[in-house]
Amino acid sequence: MTIKPWKKILAMSFVYIMLAITYLPIIVLIIFSFTKSRVIGVWSGFTWELYAEVFRDSEIISALINTLVIAVISASLATLLGTISAIGIHYLKRRLKNAASTINQITVVNADVVTAVAFMMFFLAVGIPGGYVTLVITHTIITMPYVILAVLPRLRQLNPNTYEAGLDLGAGHFKVMFSVIMPQLIPAMISGFFMAFTLSLDDFLITNFNNGWEIETISIYLYTKLTKSGVKPVLRALSSLIFVVSMLVLVGINVYSKKRNKSNPIMAIK
Amino acid sequence: MKTKFKRSHFAMPFFLLNVIFVVIPLIILLINAFKGDDGGFTFSNFVKFFTVANLKTLGRSLIIALLTTILSLAICYPLAMILANSKINKTAILVMMFIVPMWINSLLRAYAMVAIFEMLKVNNSYLKVVLAFTYDFFPFMLLPIYTILSNMDKSLIEASTDLGSSSLKTFAKVQLPLSMPGVISGILMVFMPTLSTFSISNIVANSADMYLFGNLIDDYFTNFFYNVGSAYSFILLLIIGVVMLFANKFSNNSPQIKGGSVI
């Protein structure tokens, strides 16, 4: 059965139109980051001024630093803890394994706003003030399930006898874990890390309720500026920078994983 | 007595962390939901929910979530069908290009939509919010449907046409039913977040025009009415639970909700 050429053209034009709609808002924002006009749609001459403003704005710089520090620490912790957890879960008996996978789904399925306020009430009850500590804890906990989901399928593909072989050859459990099993999981751990990292960067709600109302991340900064204090042109330059950097990182990861012919982390779902 | 360490004991930190930081916080939230101003047990926090204004807010949230889900499905099903058809589209690059923006901060994508609305002078709040939500969440609909359609056994479709069904009938009787698990998981992954998100809607529209269920919970907690806020959070949780149960009934070989549709 062949498809008629006109049907093929029609189908592909639908795809390309949707693709154009997907990228149009981003492109418009990037174009108007090179002009100082107050509203988008009015061109008032080319300038790099908005980009200079981004780097002069100490609030933006500190929000960027906070975001990256929290994302790197919590994604690293989530990757380490998530991988160890996944290995443990993999070797659990069936009933406990099912319980673990249900528990692992709680924060994934739950509404972010409910997770966020539950964390807040918890920290209030145990008396930990909102700040870096609570942000690192919450971001680690909400991203860990995704690391586990990334690592578990890879574990199933491993030779089931390697663990036993390690023990028989005289290594302890921890030695087997860190020098036999984990090295084979590195590709899955990398994609788990990137998922955790992006989710942490993307988070607004959890941060909003657990930052002690003072630590600003990029999401908090954007939300405050976009909803409360009026949209400033400098946001266009900041957004364009983040778009371009995110795109470059994504292309980088993709090229790297193509080269090593490993599973593609970008295609794995958030 | 010293128990011997087993490899499954590596799962202990997982259970410990989840009990402390996931289960206990939810229990604390539940206790607070039943706590009155005097600290005693009460149902009044739940009763307070049933006002006309609150029910209107819930209705608005449901309508927005429903419209977003329908629009996403209407766009993503044909898109996934084309992208999964190896006679039309031979590479995975196009799928990737639809997925990539999902990895960019969702508030930034909402802001990019504001830019478009400003240029096109779109003023209707409902329209703006539904379009922005669809823009932010449609990859979650596209990915599971695409995955299931591209993994589908093509010989089933050939068999159906060989046996004389028209292509429309083949679609309705073979392809659509087989792709239902993907559709259901897509619907859940769009419907659930849109029901409770308020950050994106507040960015594209004025929160006074577009006051959603998430705004309600947010307002109670930012104004320190923790007990009422906790009760409302549980009402949201209940709605999510009902939707999940309903969805699981629909797809009996239930796909894992999120994360399960890894390519």
Side-chain angles (χ1 to χ4, degrees):
Chain A
M1 191 179 76
T2 49
I3 293 168
K4 292 192 185 76
W6 67 268
K7 268 192 180 167
K8 209 166 160 175
I9 292 168
L10 203 68
M12 283 324 273
S13 27
F14 177 62
V15 171
Y16 286 117
I17 288 169
M18 289 318 296
L19 212 53
I21 293 174
T22 308
Y23 284 90
L24 187 70
I26 299 171
I27 292 164
V28 166
L29 211 56
I30 293 176
I31 291 172
F32 284 95
S33 70
F34 291 106
T35 189
K36 280 201 77 172
S37 76
R38 206 183 53 77
V39 290
I40 293 166
V42 181
W43 184 263
S44 60
F46 179 89
T47 172
W48 289 96
E49 185 51 37
L50 292 178
Y51 286 90
E53 231 175 275
V54 169
F55 293 103
R56 277 201 304 267
D57 192 325
S58 58
E59 197 184 354
I60 291 178
I61 299 296
S62 83
L64 274 173
I65 292 171
N66 283 339
T67 310
L68 287 175
V69 167
I70 291 162
V72 168
I73 296 176
S74 62
S76 309
L77 277 173
T79 308
L80 183 69
L81 292 168
T83 308
I84 294 173
S85 303
I87 295 170
I89 291 169
H90 182 66
Y91 292 113
L92 280 175
K93 295 237 166 59
R94 197 194 180 104
R95 189 177 292 171
L96 272 173
K97 204 184 218 170
N98 288 342
S101 89
T102 307
I103 291 172
N104 200 40
Q105 296 274 339
I106 296 178
T107 51
V108 179
V109 172
N110 198 354
D112 275 355
V113 64
V114 178
T115 310
V117 296
F119 272 133
M120 180 183 152
M121 299 311 291
F122 171 75
F123 290 126
L124 213 65
V126 296
I128 303 175
Y132 282 107
V133 176
T134 55
L135 288 182
V136 167
I137 293 174
T138 51
H139 282 219
T140 305
I141 297 294
I142 56 159
T143 55
M144 209 173 75
Y146 298 91
V147 177
I148 295 175
L149 287 173
V151 172
L152 270 179
R154 178 81 189 119
L155 267 169
R156 280 185 219 116
Q157 293 167 5
L158 291 190
N159 184 333
N161 300 319
T162 13
Y163 200 103
E164 213 70 67
L167 292 180
D168 286 349
L169 291 169
H173 280 283
F174 283 86
K175 183 101 197 240
V176 174
M177 160 74 109
F178 287 104
S179 29
V180 179
I181 305 290
M182 260 198 201
Q184 305 186 63
L185 298 175
I186 284 173
M189 286 169 74
I190 290 175
S191 61
F193 176 85
F194 277 108
M195 263 188 253
F197 186 77
T198 357
L199 283 167
S200 170
L201 290 187
D202 195 40
D203 174 72
F204 162 72
L205 277 168
I206 311 282
T207 310
N208 186 38
F209 285 101
N210 294 286
N211 63 353
W213 314 114
E214 59 179 9
I215 292 178
E216 242 183 7
T217 61
I218 279 298
S219 291
I220 301 285
Y221 173 84
L222 280 171
Y223 184 75
T224 324
K225 293 292 172 219
L226 291 172
T227 58
K228 290 173 187 140
S229 53
V231 184
K232 289 193 297 185
V234 66
L235 289 180
R236 300 201 292 261
L238 175 65
S239 309
S240 305
L241 278 175
I242 298 177
F243 279 137
V244 171
V245 172
S246 318
M247 288 290 191
L248 287 178
V249 171
L250 285 169
V251 170
I253 297 169
N254 203 32
V255 169
Y256 167 84
S257 61
K258 273 260 167 62
K259 246 188 199 154
R260 302 200 33 173
N261 205 13
K262 291 281 150 57
S263 66
N264 185 346
I266 297 168
M267 294 294 277
I269 200 149
K270 275 184 146 188
Chain B
M1 194 187 85
K2 196 167 172 279
T3 48
K4 209 161 170 290
F5 187 87
K6 284 194 296 192
R7 61 194 89 166
S8 58
H9 289 173
F10 282 122
M12 275 179 342
F14 168 80
F15 285 107
L16 199 69
L17 281 173
N18 274 288
V19 167
I20 297 176
F21 292 112
V22 178
V23 178
I24 292 181
L26 284 173
I27 293 172
I28 293 177
L29 199 68
L30 188 64
I31 293 171
N32 270 293
F34 289 105
K35 214 191 255 173
D37 296 330
D38 55 349
F41 177 89
T42 175
F43 280 108
S44 68
N45 300 326
F46 287 93
V47 176
K48 274 183 198 139
F49 177 74
F50 295 94
T51 64
V52 175
N54 283 347
L55 291 175
K56 262 190 184 159
T57 304
L58 177 61
R60 197 177 297 124
S61 277
L62 286 169
I63 290 172
I64 293 278
L66 212 61
L67 289 176
T68 306
T69 311
I70 292 169
L71 183 60
S72 304
L73 187 60
I75 293 170
C76 291
Y77 202 97
L79 201 57
M81 264 176 78
I82 297 169
L83 291 171
N85 189 328
S86 53
K87 286 184 187 113
I88 301 178
N89 175 39
K90 289 185 179 61
T91 62
I93 293 172
L94 281 173
V95 188
M96 277 262 316
M97 289 192 65
F98 280 107
I99 307 300
V100 161
M102 187 169 87
W103 292 76
I104 297 169
N105 190 306
S106 53
L107 301 187
L108 276 184
R109 275 178 289 150
Y111 177 43
M113 280 307 264
V114 174
I116 291 293
F117 294 149
E118 262 182 39
M119 271 184 80
L120 300 178
K121 309 236 173 344
V122 179
N123 281 323
N124 184 303
S125 293
Y126 273 88
L127 188 62
K128 284 201 284 192
V129 172
V130 169
L131 289 178
F133 274 167
T134 307
Y135 184 59
D136 265 36
F137 292 111
F138 86 90
F140 291 108
M141 183 71 88
L142 182 64
L143 212 44
I145 299 178
Y146 169 77
T147 308
I148 206 154
L149 284 178
S150 56
N151 291 335
M152 193 179 282
D153 191 351
K154 301 289 182 299
S155 53
L156 289 171
I157 293 162
E158 276 163 26
S160 167
T161 44
D162 285 352
L163 291 169
S165 298
S166 66
S167 50
L168 197 67
K169 198 167 178 190
T170 304
F171 172 75
K173 297 267 176 184
V174 181
Q175 202 173 11
L176 190 62
L178 282 174
S179 63
M180 270 327 260
V183 173
I184 298 274
S185 96
I187 288 176
L188 283 180
M189 283 159 70
V190 174
F191 186 81
M192 309 269 250
T194 45
L195 193 61
S196 63
T197 304
F198 59 90
S199 44
I200 294 163
S201 56
N202 278 9
I203 286 173
V204 297
N206 190 338
S207 65
D209 300 340
M210 198 33 79
Y211 194 77
L212 298 179
F213 203 71
N215 291 96
L216 195 63
I217 294 173
D218 177 45
D219 277 356
Y220 276 104
F221 277 95
T222 41
N223 293 314
F224 307 106
F225 292 108
Y226 296 144
N227 299 339
V228 182
S230 302
Y232 289 15
S233 304
F234 263 91
I235 292 173
L236 179 59
L237 215 56
L238 209 69
I239 298 171
I240 291 174
V242 170
V243 174
M244 294 278 295
L245 269 176
F246 202 63
N248 278 340
K249 271 255 161 64
F250 253 94
S251 56
N252 27 20
N253 50 348
S254 101
Q256 280 183 333
I257 301 315
K258 278 188 194 174
S261 38
V262 178
I263 290 190

